[in-house]
């Protein structure tokens, strides 16, 4: 299928107007109409209901739209990868949950990787933790960062280091018992964290905010107040300036962080080189 047909279809669906779509694509209106007719002929269905000053998607058009957007994004990414490989000696795709990418220690580690291998093309993607193993098996990614290793045979892992979660609040001199009336912000660190927090009786209440964004949880505490487990590196500046305070003088949970990849990965030599050059978190 001609990718330009899909690009034109997406533009018409956005503008709901053949003329404006033509302007945005630097085409004539007749060229846009011709492309849409071509696509409708290939699919043997009408994609738009054409009325005076009113162009809307048919049911078939609505079904096609998400597929068209995915195909266009995939094609654009393929073009970028092929072009980038002309200037890079190697390419490595790393994945982690958005929350892990937010950790300062992980950012510093990625910076060391890039500094050690300036001729590599490093792609850092956000992948939900529950999809990490599948994306490794499907070879959509080369390696993943995770705090909980997938229960899957054929994986190899390297312990990058540990990170600490500290229980903090906007009020000073609190204990677990005296903090039980404050709003609870729940930063979802995964199954292990959920089990650990479930054993802390004073924290067993409904959260006012449940999120996987460290920054969002931190901002909520700074603006509205409350109590939450947050990464030590993230809260350190706010502890120093008195905006946040440790509960019980430092209630800490320690979690490991691993780099994991397929044992038979064709990128294994690159990953081994990465591990040896970038060091620990």
């Amino acid at each position: 299928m001609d990718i330009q047909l899909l690009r034109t279809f997406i533009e018409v669906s956005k503008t709901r107007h053949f003329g404006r779509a033509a302007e945005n694509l630097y085409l004539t209106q007749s060229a846009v109409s011709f492309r849409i007719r071509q696509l409708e002929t290939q699919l043997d269905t009408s994609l738009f209901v054409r009325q005076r000053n009113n162009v809307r998607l048919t049911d078939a058009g609505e079904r096609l739209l998400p597929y068209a957007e995915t195909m266009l994004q995939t094609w654009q990414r393929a073009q970028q990868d092929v072009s980038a490989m002309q200037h890079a000696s190697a390419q490595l795709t790393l994945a982690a949950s958005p929350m892990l990418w937010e950790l300062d220690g992980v950012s510093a580690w990625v910076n060391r990787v890039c500094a050690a291998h300036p001729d590599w093309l490093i792609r850092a993607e956000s992948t939900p933790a529950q999809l990490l193993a599948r994306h490794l098996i499907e070879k959509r990614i080369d390696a993943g960062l995770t705090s909980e290793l997938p229960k899957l045979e054929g994986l190899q892992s390297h312990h990058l280091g540990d990170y600490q979660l500290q229980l903090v609040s906007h009020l000073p001199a609190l204990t677990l018992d005296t903090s039980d009336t404050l709003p609870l912000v729940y930063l979802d660190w995964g199954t292990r964290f959920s089990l650990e927090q479930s054993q802390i009786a004073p924290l067993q209440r409904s959260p006012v905010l449940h999120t996987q964004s460290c920054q969002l949880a931190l901002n909520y505490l700074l603006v509205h107040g409350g109590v939450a487990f947050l990464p030590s590196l993230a809260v350190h500046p706010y502890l120093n300036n008195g905006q946040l305070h440790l509960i019980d003088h430092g209630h800490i949970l320690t979690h490991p962080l691993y780099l994991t990849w397929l044992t038979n990965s064709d990128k294994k030599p690159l990953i081994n080189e990465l591990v040896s050059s970038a060091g620990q978190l």
Side-chain angles (χ1 to χ4, degrees):
M1 179 178 291
D2 187 345
I3 202 71
Q4 296 302 329
L5 301 186
L6 294 179
R7 182 175 283 112
T8 304
F9 165 73
I10 292 171
E11 193 62 38
V12 175
S13 71
K14 288 180 180 179
T15 61
R16 294 295 197 267
H17 195 281
F18 279 71
R20 284 194 289 272
E23 292 175 4
N24 293 344
L25 294 170
Y26 301 99
L27 296 171
T28 64
Q29 186 169 334
S30 60
V32 169
S33 298
F34 178 70
R35 286 184 177 182
I36 295 301
R37 286 197 301 271
Q38 279 187 298
L39 188 57
E40 289 177 326
T41 298
Q42 291 181 15
L43 296 173
D44 193 26
T45 188
S46 296
L47 299 174
F48 293 98
V49 176
R50 299 164 175 83
Q51 298 174 339
R52 185 174 180 83
N53 297 323
N54 182 23
V55 176
R56 59 183 178 84
L57 289 167
T58 63
D59 289 344
E62 293 283 2
R63 293 290 298 273
L64 175 63
L65 184 57
Y67 293 105
E69 291 174 337
T70 299
M71 292 171 69
L72 183 59
Q73 291 169 1
T74 301
W75 173 246
Q76 291 172 339
R77 177 175 169 179
Q79 287 180 307
Q80 293 169 359
D81 281 355
V82 171
S83 175
M85 282 305 297
Q86 296 177 359
H87 308 285
S89 64
Q91 178 175 337
L92 203 61
T93 300
L94 307 177
S97 68
M99 185 165 52
L100 289 182
W101 285 134
E102 288 183 9
L103 293 176
D104 290 340
V106 173
S107 298
W109 181 79
V110 172
N111 287 337
R112 291 202 301 274
V113 170
C114 293
H117 306 283
D119 56 330
W120 286 13
L121 173 62
I122 303 295
R123 183 184 295 277
E125 297 189 351
S126 293
T127 300
Q130 62 270 26
L131 295 179
L132 191 67
R134 179 191 298 180
H135 287 190
L136 284 169
I137 293 172
E138 295 175 351
K139 298 189 176 180
R140 297 170 60 176
I141 60 175
D142 299 313
L145 280 74
T146 179
S147 59
E148 298 178 355
L149 288 173
K151 296 180 180 179
L152 182 71
E153 292 184 1
L155 287 184
Q156 189 170 341
S157 64
H158 172 72
H159 180 215
L160 287 173
D162 299 310
Y163 60 90
Q164 292 183 331
L165 305 176
Q166 294 181 295
L167 189 60
V168 297
S169 172
H170 66 298
L171 296 177
L174 290 178
T175 66
L176 276 172
D177 291 333
T178 59
S179 68
D180 60 356
T181 60
L182 294 179
L184 175 66
V185 176
Y186 187 89
L187 188 56
D188 190 352
W189 291 95
T191 304
R192 177 179 172 182
F193 171 75
S194 177
L195 291 174
E196 290 175 334
Q197 180 158 322
S198 69
Q199 298 172 9
I200 304 175
L203 297 181
Q204 301 316 300
R205 57 186 183 274
S206 298
V208 294
L209 175 65
H210 187 293
T211 179
Q212 291 188 336
S213 170
C214 175
Q215 194 61 47
L216 188 60
L218 176 60
N219 287 341
Y220 186 96
L221 249 62
L222 294 174
V223 174
H224 302 288
V227 56
F229 273 106
L230 295 176
S232 57
L233 284 175
V235 301
H236 182 72
Y238 303 98
L239 294 174
N240 286 342
N241 65 22
Q243 287 181 274
L244 293 177
H245 306 272
L246 296 175
I247 294 178
D248 275 344
H249 304 288
H251 199 93
I252 295 175
L253 301 177
T254 300
H255 283 206
L257 191 63
Y258 303 97
L259 184 71
T260 184
W261 61 94
L262 291 176
T263 302
N264 61 357
S265 170
D266 55 358
K267 298 292 184 70
K268 188 174 179 178
L270 292 178
I271 297 170
N272 288 336
E273 188 176 343
L274 176 150
V275 167
S276 62
S277 64
Q280 300 291 107
L281 290 178

